[in-house]
Each structure stands twice: as structure tokens, then as C-alpha cells.
């Protein structure tokens, strides 16, 4: 049996290194690792990484010492620090109710409760800080004649102003163009309506003229032009009016007015009941004169000379 001395020596060295590492329970330095690597003692699988839990240390005394080291006793006007509890809920206090959430019961995961706690705490801080600020003579309001330095220069602000004005002008132009387009559309619509109305009036007038020529109507309202027309009667009213209408139609009346009306020939001098009872033209003197003609005086008759007598008197003259 042959035993390799080199392997025996390497195994002994490894066991010695393992024992020393376990006994010391400390990490090797970089120089020691480099020497071990140069001698060939380091081989794959020998070093294993182990995760160690981090130990948290709350050294209160050390923190207090550090705080006392950089702490400075300055007046409150230089520090302006406030430590306040949140203000009372005014709504619940006015209604006489208990607050829904107490100071210690605020859930940090609830956004609404957390923000309301911050708001009420800031409110209480402002209420406590304003009297202190006025007591120390620190103004809390900006004076009327206070001019702060602007964050941007006047040239930059002029550029911004010009840009805003140009945008405003562009918007005004676009709005004006839009209104003009709407007015044109409305104007075209009104123009079409006016033209249609004129055509309708013309058609109605031609229809009225034809009806008048045919004697279907005796109204001349269509000659009035643009005057307001009376309300046209319904068909039932027109029918009743035609039934109740008596006498000649419009065509007959127009011809009578133009060419005259001869009237009735026979029986023109016949007496009627009205003419028989009418005695307004009776004259007693004329009626009692015997043989006297109308226009004679004193009942004497004016005799006209004969034809021969009239010739003789004419020749003498």
C-alpha cells in the first residue's frame, strides 16, 4: 500500500485551517486569504457564504449625548418650533357630539383620518403661534407697499405676456370666424325663406285673380299687396256663406258696373203697394184745376198759335 505524502500533508493543513477558523470564529483578512491562495490551500467548495441577521441597537444614551452635543439654547423667535395636539373638532363640538376618532386611535393607513389629523394639528399650531409672533413683534401680514423681487426678469415676463396676448387674439379671431360662418348660414336660410314666401304670395295672388275672373269670389283683398290679410274662413264657413248668398255673382256685378244695367222693361209703370200708399207727391191745387195743364196760372190755358200764324209772324219780322 502506497500513501502519497503530499495528499497527507494537504489534508493535515486543511484540517488545521478548519480548526483554527472554527476556534477563532473570525473572518480572515485579505492578506491571509492571498497567502492561502498563493500556497494552494484554497479550493472550490471550502468557502460558504452565510447570511447573518443585522442587529439593531437602540442606544438611547448615545443619542442623548449626540443631541446635547449640537443642541443650542436659542430664543423661540429664532427656532419657531411648535409642538401641539390637534385642535378640537368644531362641527362635533357645535352639535354636542363626541369626536368620531380620538387622538390615539388615528389609523395611519387611513388617508382621510391621517390628513384630517394633520389639518387639525396645523390649525392648532397657527392659533397658538399667532399670539407668540405678535408678542415678539414679528409681522404676519405683508404691507401694502411691499414689493418682492420677482423670480423671473421683466424681459421674460414681457415675452410671456406677448405670447398670451397672441394666443388670446388667435382665439378671438377663431370665435369671430365661427360666428361669421353661423351668420352666413342663418342669412342663407332667411334668404331662402323670404324667396319661398314671395313665390307663395305670387301663387296665391294668381289664384285669387283667376278665381275673381271666373266669378268664384267677389273680394279684391289680393290687390292690397303686403297688407295683413284677414284670417281665411274654413271650408264649412265658405259652404254656409255660399248657401246663404243670394243675387248675382261677382262677374255679373262687374259687367253691370262696366256696361250698365237696363233693368226690367215690362211692368215698369205698374203700381205697387208702396207706390199706392205713397201720397207725398199729391197736390190739391193741381188736382182741383179744371182743364188746367201743369204749369198754368189761374186756371187759364196758354194756347199755342197754329203753323200758318207762326209763319206769318216770322215773315213779318
Amino acid at each position: 500500500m502506497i500513501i502519497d505524502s503530499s495528499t497527507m500533508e494537504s489534508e493535515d493543513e486543511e484540517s488545521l485551517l478548519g480548526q483554527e477558523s472554527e476556534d477563532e470564529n473570525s473572518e480572515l483578512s485579505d492578506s491571509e486569504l492571498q497567502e492561502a491562495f498563493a500556497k494552494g490551500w484554497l479550493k472550490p467548495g471550502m468557502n460558504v457564504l452565510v447570511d447573518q441577521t443585522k442587529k439593531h441597537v437602540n442606544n438611547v444614551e448615545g443619542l442623548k449625548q449626540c443631541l446635547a452635543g449640537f443642541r443650542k439654547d436659542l430664543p423661540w423667535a429664532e427656532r419657531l418650533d411648535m409642538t401641539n395636539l390637534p385642535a378640537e373638532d368644531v362641527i362635533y363640538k357645535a352639535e354636542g357630539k363626541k369626536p368620531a376618532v380620538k387622538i390615539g386611535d388615528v389609523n395611519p393607513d387611513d388617508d382621510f383620518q391621517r390628513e384630517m389629523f394633520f389639518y387639525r394639528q396645523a390649525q392648532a399650531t397657527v392659533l397658538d403661534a399667532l399670539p407668540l409672533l405678535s408678542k415678539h413683534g414679528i409681522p404676519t401680514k405683508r404691507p401694502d407697499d411691499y414689493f418682492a423681487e420677482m423670480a423671473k426678469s421683466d424681459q421674460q415676463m414681457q415675452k410671456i405676456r406677448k405670447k398670451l396676448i397672441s394666443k388670446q387674439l388667435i382665439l378671438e379671431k377663431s370665435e369671430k370666424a365661427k360666428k361669421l360662418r353661423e351668420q352666413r348660414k342663418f342669412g342663407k336660410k332667411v334668404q331662402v325663406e323670404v324667396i319661398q314666401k314671395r313665390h307663395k304670395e305670387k301663387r296665391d295672388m294668381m289664384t285669387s285673380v283667376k278665381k275673381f275672373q271666373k266669378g268664384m269670389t267677389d273680394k279684391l283683398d289680393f290687390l292690397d299687396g303686403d297688407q295683413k290679410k284677414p284670417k281665411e274662413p274654413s271650408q264649412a264657413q265658405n259652404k254656409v256663406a255660399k248657401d246663404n248668398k243670394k243675387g248675382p255673382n261677382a262677374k255679373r256685378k262687374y259687367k253691370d258696373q262696366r256696361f250698365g244695367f237696363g233693368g226690367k222693361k215690362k211692368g215698369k209703370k205698374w203700381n205697387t203697394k208702396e207706390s199706392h200708399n205713397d201720397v207725398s207727391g199729391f197736390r190739391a191745387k193741381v188736382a182741383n184745376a179744371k182743364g188746367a195743364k201743369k204749369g198754368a196760372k189761374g186756371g187759364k190755358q196758354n194756347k199755342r198759335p197754329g203753323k200758318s200764324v207762326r209763319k206769318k209772324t216770322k215773315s213779318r219780322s
Side-chain angles (χ1 to χ4, degrees):
M1 183 176 180
I2 299 172
I3 298 172
D4 190 0
S5 60
S6 61
T7 57
M8 291 290 291
E9 291 176 359
S10 62
E11 288 177 359
D12 294 338
E13 290 174 358
E14 289 175 4
S15 61
L16 289 172
L17 284 172
Q19 289 177 0
E20 288 176 1
S21 61
E22 289 176 359
D23 293 339
E24 292 175 359
N25 196 13
S26 62
E27 296 181 356
L28 297 175
S29 62
D30 292 341
S31 60
E32 291 174 350
L33 290 172
Q34 289 176 2
E35 290 177 1
F37 181 74
K39 293 179 180 179
W41 293 349
L42 298 177
K43 293 181 180 180
M46 292 181 61
N47 300 322
V48 179
L49 295 175
V50 179
D51 294 333
Q52 293 182 357
T53 56
K54 187 177 180 180
K55 294 181 180 180
H56 299 279
V57 179
N58 185 14
N59 191 356
V60 179
E61 296 296 333
L63 291 173
K64 288 182 178 179
Q65 290 178 3
C66 292
L67 180 62
F70 62 79
R71 186 173 184 178
K72 295 180 180 179
D73 294 331
L74 297 174
W76 181 85
E78 296 293 334
R79 293 182 283 109
L80 297 177
D81 57 342
M82 298 288 294
T83 304
N84 298 79
L85 294 174
E88 295 181 357
D89 198 336
V90 181
I91 298 174
Y92 282 95
K93 187 177 180 181
E95 294 178 355
K97 298 179 181 179
K98 294 182 179 179
V101 181
K102 295 181 180 179
I103 298 173
D105 298 338
V106 177
N107 186 8
D109 295 329
D110 191 344
D111 295 338
F112 181 75
Q113 289 185 11
R114 187 176 65 250
E115 294 300 326
M116 282 300 298
F117 182 83
F118 291 158
Y119 170 76
R120 288 165 57 195
Q121 190 176 17
Q123 187 180 12
T125 303
V126 169
L127 293 174
D128 292 343
L130 284 174
L132 289 174
L133 290 171
S134 61
K135 182 179 179 181
H136 288 81
I138 300 173
T140 56
K141 293 182 180 180
R142 187 177 69 180
D144 297 334
D145 58 347
Y146 178 78
F147 295 97
E149 185 179 356
M150 303 299 291
K152 294 184 179 181
S153 62
D154 293 339
Q155 296 178 354
Q156 183 69 17
M157 294 303 294
Q158 287 293 333
K159 288 181 181 179
I160 294 170
R161 185 172 179 273
K162 289 179 180 179
K163 194 170 183 180
L164 291 174
I165 290 172
S166 64
K167 286 184 178 180
Q168 187 176 0
L169 290 174
I170 290 169
L171 288 173
E172 288 178 357
K173 287 181 180 179
S174 63
E175 290 291 333
K176 192 174 181 180
K178 193 182 292 183
K179 288 181 180 179
L180 285 173
R181 286 195 295 269
E182 291 177 357
Q183 288 178 0
R184 286 174 185 171
K185 289 180 181 178
F186 183 72
K188 288 181 180 178
K189 185 178 178 181
V190 171
Q191 188 177 5
V192 170
E193 290 178 356
V194 170
I195 293 171
Q196 290 177 355
K197 185 179 179 182
R198 287 178 182 174
H199 289 324
K200 185 177 181 298
E201 290 177 355
K202 188 175 180 181
R203 287 195 302 269
D204 294 343
M205 187 173 182
M206 295 301 294
T207 305
S208 301
V209 170
K210 289 179 181 178
K211 286 182 178 180
F212 183 78
Q213 288 176 351
K214 293 178 181 180
M216 298 172 66
T217 181
D218 57 348
K219 295 181 181 179
L220 299 175
D221 297 338
F222 59 88
L223 297 176
D224 296 339
D226 295 335
Q227 293 182 3
K228 188 175 180 181
K229 296 181 180 180
K231 189 176 180 181
E232 295 181 356
S234 60
Q235 294 180 357
Q237 293 176 352
N238 287 332
K239 188 175 181 181
V240 172
K242 286 182 180 179
D243 295 338
N244 296 332
K245 191 175 180 182
K246 294 181 180 180
N249 56 17
K251 189 174 181 181
R252 181 73 265 166
K253 286 181 179 179
Y254 176 72
K255 286 186 177 181
D256 293 343
Q257 184 182 1
R258 184 175 180 184
F259 303 109
F261 176 66
K264 192 175 181 182
K265 302 295 189 249
K266 294 181 180 180
K268 186 177 181 181
K269 295 183 179 180
W270 289 357
N271 276 335
T272 59
K273 185 179 180 181
E274 289 80 8
S275 64
H276 177 72
N277 295 328
D278 186 13
V279 292
S280 59
F282 176 75
R283 294 181 182 179
K285 291 182 179 180
V286 176
N288 293 330
K290 295 181 180 180
K293 292 185 179 178
K294 188 177 180 181
K297 294 182 180 180
K300 294 183 179 180
Q301 184 179 3
N302 293 328
K303 293 183 179 181
R304 184 185 181 190
K307 188 175 182 181
S308 60
V309 177
R310 288 199 307 269
K311 282 184 180 181
K312 286 178 182 181
T313 53
K314 189 175 182 181
S315 61
R316 286 177 185 176
S317 61

